[in-house]
Amino acid sequence: MPELPEVEVVRRGLELHVVGRRIERVEVGRERTVRRTSAAAVVTGLTGATMTAARRRGKYLVCDLDNGRAVMVHLRMSGQLVLAPASSPRPSHAHVVLTLTGDQELRFVDPRTFGEVVVFDPGRADVEVPELGRLGPDPVADGLTMRQLRRLLATRSRQVKALLLDQHALAGLGNIYTDEVLHVARVRYDRPANALTGRQVGALHRAMEAVLADAIAAGGSTLGDAQYVGLSGEAGRYQEQHRVYGRAGSPCPRCRGRNVIVRAPFGGRSTFFCARCQR
DNA sequence: CGATCTACCTGATGGC
DNA sequence: TGCCATCAGGTAGATC
C-alpha cells in the first residue's frame, strides 16, 4: 500500500515528467473520487493549468498550479497515479484523467475508491484540506531530529507502533514500514513509547532514516496484489528486502534460524515481528 | 489521553 | 464451477 516511500517515488515522477506541462483536458469518471468538492470544481480548477511543483507531506501529494490553485491527491489503499500515452487503453477504475500536452494522460486509478483528488485554494487550505495542517513532521521531507523523536516518544504512553502509525504524530509511515523500522531497530511493536531506552530511541531514529531511504531508492514496495506502481507503471523492488512484513513463518533475518517471524493481531490488522530480537 | 471499533470499497483468495 | 466469507489497510469519527 502506498506509504511515504511509494508516494515519494510518485512525487519524483511528477516532478520529472508532469511539472511544466499544461493540462489540456480533465475527465472525472467517478464522483466519489472528487467527493470533497465536485467534478465541476476539479475540471474547472485543473483545465488549462500547468503544474509548477510537486510536493509531498506524509502520504499526501500536493501539487501547485500556475492558476493559483493547488491539487491534493491521496492514494489511500489502492490509488495509483500513472502516466501513459493518451492512445493506450485506459485501465479499469481510471476515475480522473488529465490529458497533458504531448498526448499523454495522467490517470488516477483507484479500484477501491478510498483515494481522493481535491482542487483547493491554498489560502483556504485550513478549511478545504484541514488534514494537511494536522500532520506531524515528515521524516524525509522535513527531517526528524533525534531530539524531536525523543520528545515525541517520551510524551506518549501508547504502544510505539500505534504512535508511529499516527499521522498526527509523524507523517508517512504505514503498516509495512513501521514493522520494518521496528525490526531494524530491534524494538517490539507493543512497547509503550515512553518506555524505550535512549539506545532504542537512537536505533529507531537510525532505522527510520535507513529504511525509508533504502525503500525510496528501491522504488517502493509492490506487494503481491500489485496495487502500487510508480508514475510510469513500474513496480517497486523493496518488497524483496522486507525483513518481517508478510513473512510470518520465515526465519528471522537477524536471528538466523533461531527464531521465526510471527504475525500478531494489531488494531484489527496484522503486525509482523521477531519475539527474540525485538524487545 | 488511549484503546477499540466502525465505516468506507473492491478484488483476490480460500473453503466447501 | 459457483457461492460465500475473509482479508487487505489509510483515515476519520464515535464510544468507553
Side-chain angles (χ1 to χ4, degrees), chain A residues 5-183:
Chain A
E6 290 75 30
V7 180
E8 175 62 15
V9 172
V10 172
R11 187 199 69 76
R12 292 181 183 185
L14 288 171
E15 203 164 67
L16 213 55
H17 302 294
V18 178
V19 166
R21 291 171 68 183
R22 184 168 177 273
I23 300 163
E24 295 180 331
R25 200 159 102 91
V26 179
E27 294 161 80
V28 175
R30 183 124 178 190
E31 297 289 331
R32 184 170 150 75
T33 301
V34 296
R35 58 194 174 278
R36 184 87 59 110
T37 55
S38 66
V42 170
V43 172
T44 59
L46 293 175
T47 304
T50 296
M51 197 180 284
T52 55
R55 299 177 286 124
R56 182 191 58 76
R57 188 86 194 273
K59 302 169 196 168
Y60 294 80
L61 279 169
V62 178
C63 301
D64 300 322
L65 303 168
D66 68 348
N67 63 5
R69 305 187 70 77
V71 56
M72 183 274 267
V73 176
H74 198 303
L75 305 174
R76 292 283 178 106
M77 313 292 297
S78 62
Q80 304 176 340
L81 268 181
V82 183
L83 191 63
S87 58
S88 66
R90 286 186 190 167
S92 313
H93 308 292
H95 303 317
V96 178
V97 176
L98 312 184
T99 305
L100 308 175
T101 49
D103 282 320
Q104 279 195 310
E105 289 181 352
L106 180 61
R107 299 163 173 165
F108 180 79
V109 180
D110 185 16
R112 295 174 66 184
T113 71
F114 285 100
E116 261 196 284
V117 176
V118 182
V119 176
F120 66 99
D121 171 1
R124 287 172 41 79
D126 54 335
V127 285
E128 295 181 11
V129 282
E131 62 267 52
L132 291 178
R134 299 192 202 113
L135 290 175
D138 178 309
V140 172
D142 306 323
L144 181 75
T145 63
M146 254 299 278
R147 188 191 161 89
Q148 280 178 291
L149 181 63
R150 192 184 308 124
R151 188 183 169 78
L152 190 65
L153 294 164
T155 53
R156 320 293 172 90
S157 59
R158 319 164 65 181
Q159 295 185 341
V160 62
K161 173 160 172 167
L163 183 63
L164 296 180
L165 281 172
D166 183 347
Q167 304 299 297
H168 307 121
L170 197 63
L173 297 181
N175 207 36
I176 296 173
Y177 293 101
T178 45
D179 281 0
E180 293 299 313
V181 166
L182 287 167
H183 182 260

Side-chain angles (χ1 to χ4, degrees), chain A residues 261-272:
Chain A
I261 303 306
V262 293
R263 168 189 177 147
F266 180 84
R269 300 199 165 90
S270 302
T271 192
F272 299 89

